Amino acid sequence: MTIAVTRTGVPETQPARTSGAPGSTSAGPAPGADPRVPDGRVQYLRIGDLQLESGVALPDVVLAYETWGSLNADASNAVLIEHALTGDTHVTRGASAEPGWWEQLAGPGAPVDTDKYFVVSINILGGCYGSTGPSTPAPDGRPWGSRFPLVTLRDTTAAEARLADALGIGSWHAVLGGSLGGARALEWAVMYPGRVRRCAVISVGASSTAEQIAFAQAQTLAIRQDPHFNGGDYYGGPEPVAGLALARRIAHITYRSAAELEGRFGRNAQEPEAPLEAGSLAGRGRYQVESYLDHQGNKLVRRFDANSYIAITEALMSHDVCRGRGSLRESLASATAEFLVAAVDSDRLYFPAQSRALAEALPGGAELHIIEAPIGHDGFLTEIGQLSGQLRSSFFG
């Protein structure tokens, strides 16, 4: 069975450990989505033990997910929207007043029209919004913590396929996502070609490059070197908030373009602070851009688990559609989906050239669509409306 909880009323400081994750409340897989659950409410599904790429078996896996709309009689209108690194399942509002993170894309009358399509979003394996992850109980009742195994994008895709089975979805009308979500969508199209009719891969390439892995390693190391990290077993005590906030600062620099940071902040001081008037290094005031990064780091620590940040970041480090499959063209040869590939022109984390290489290697080739956004990588979220025409004319006409 599935159970549902509202997202409202969840303490902002500890979503992973107080969000109503089911523990032992569900005995087995659900026969399908519960029609009594309002759109945009979190539900949970037990999918059983999962054999991971590493060779480890992860027991009694639970996935958290949200749905919008109704599955039609032949289950042909299901759409999977994959979230990015620190995203959650709340793509759009539904029955709640809480805004979703991609409302330009999904909702009543949007390109992914929830009055027409049955939309599903799943919290990634290793996450902290209800799916099995480091902060959830292991079989002994204690949080997994340092014992949580490495999971890859292929592992989480295999888990999601079980959830699709339980919902009665044999194939997806479309699977789409941006950044990490785009990498997840691509794995779906390659791992289960008969189950993905359309696939949109936005702001990500065919694999994580050495530079992207380097940025990611700096973030995970910032957390691991926090004095409160305790090897990953910090639950019940002080949490590594300083390390997590630093990780977010590092990441956010890559999410925004140099031009956007310069245009917004330049060399301006954060009022009333004075960076050049300190009597000591310790007392130096901040520049505006420093204050901005502090704000981004502090926001994340109020809603995210540090171990999950590591687990999901390392899953993204594992992203390589060619691993064990041959060349890029060979690896993509089995994919039968209609593809839409898009990149942000100012992205300095996932360069448009990576998206172009992916598009050109797809069976029959695919056009690369460019999102024009001065802010950088995050333009895939803020400017997704630029793809409305393409999505409506091909994927969701």
Side-chain angles (χ1 to χ4, degrees), residues 111-339:
V112 187
D113 189 344
T114 51
D115 290 333
K116 180 178 179 181
Y117 294 99
F118 179 63
V119 177
V120 181
S121 183
I122 307 169
N123 185 221
I124 192 170
L125 187 65
C128 59
Y129 285 100
S131 291
T132 295
S135 63
T136 59
D140 63 3
R142 296 185 294 114
W144 277 100
S146 63
R147 300 171 297 163
F148 192 75
L150 172 72
V151 296
T152 67
L153 295 191
R154 297 184 190 182
D155 293 329
T156 199
T157 303
E160 290 172 0
R162 293 194 194 176
L163 187 144
D165 292 341
L167 296 181
I169 300 168
S171 67
W172 297 101
H173 175 87
V175 181
L176 63 162
S179 194
L180 170 65
R184 295 166 69 187
L186 182 61
E187 273 298 336
W188 254 104
V190 174
M191 288 180 66
Y192 302 103
R195 303 189 67 168
V196 180
R197 302 196 296 278
R198 297 164 186 82
C199 181
V201 182
I202 305 168
S203 296
V204 74
S207 63
S208 291
T209 66
E211 181 180 57
Q212 288 150 7
I213 292 171
F215 281 130
Q217 191 258 6
Q219 295 167 51
T220 59
L221 193 59
I223 297 171
R224 289 186 165 113
Q225 291 187 339
D226 186 296
H228 295 308
F229 183 62
N230 194 31
D233 296 317
Y234 51 80
Y235 302 110
E239 299 192 4
V241 294
L244 178 57
L246 177 56
R248 183 62 164 189
R249 290 179 180 89
I250 297 167
H252 204 78
I253 294 167
T254 71
Y255 299 159
R256 297 301 173 108
S257 69
E260 199 255 349
L261 294 176
E262 183 66 25
R264 283 183 67 182
F265 307 112
R267 293 189 48 80
N268 296 323
Q270 177 66 25
E271 294 291 344
E273 302 175 33
L276 300 180
E277 296 179 8
S280 66
L281 290 176
R284 179 181 74 80
R286 296 172 298 172
Y287 294 96
Q288 284 184 3
V289 69
E290 294 177 293
S291 175
Y292 170 71
L293 292 174
D294 290 346
H295 171 70
Q296 294 298 327
N298 292 333
K299 269 204 318 184
L300 185 72
V301 301
R302 293 195 297 267
R303 69 172 181 87
F304 216 79
D305 176 61
N307 273 328
S308 277
Y309 194 99
I310 292 173
I312 301 171
T313 298
E314 294 191 345
L316 183 54
M317 291 164 108
S318 80
H319 171 49
D320 181 4
V321 77
C322 298
R323 188 174 68 253
R325 294 170 175 154
S327 69
L328 182 55
R329 288 188 182 275
E330 291 170 340
S331 301
L332 298 173
S334 63
T336 57
E338 173 189 349
F339 278 88

Side-chain angles (χ1 to χ4, degrees), residues 7 10-12 14-17 19 21 42-44 63-66 83 85-90 98 122-124 126-133 135-136 299-300 302-305 308 312:
R7 292 176 54 84
V10 176
E12 188 181 23
Q14 292 186 326
R17 293 174 290 286
S19 60
V42 182
Q43 303 177 65
Y44 301 93
L63 292 180
Y65 67 103
E66 294 184 40
H83 68 74
L85 187 77
T86 58
D88 59 19
T89 54
H90 200 58
E98 182 183 358
I122 307 169
N123 185 221
I124 192 170
C128 59
Y129 285 100
S131 291
T132 295
S135 63
T136 59
K299 269 204 318 184
L300 185 72
R302 293 195 297 267
R303 69 172 181 87
F304 216 79
D305 176 61
S308 277
I312 301 171

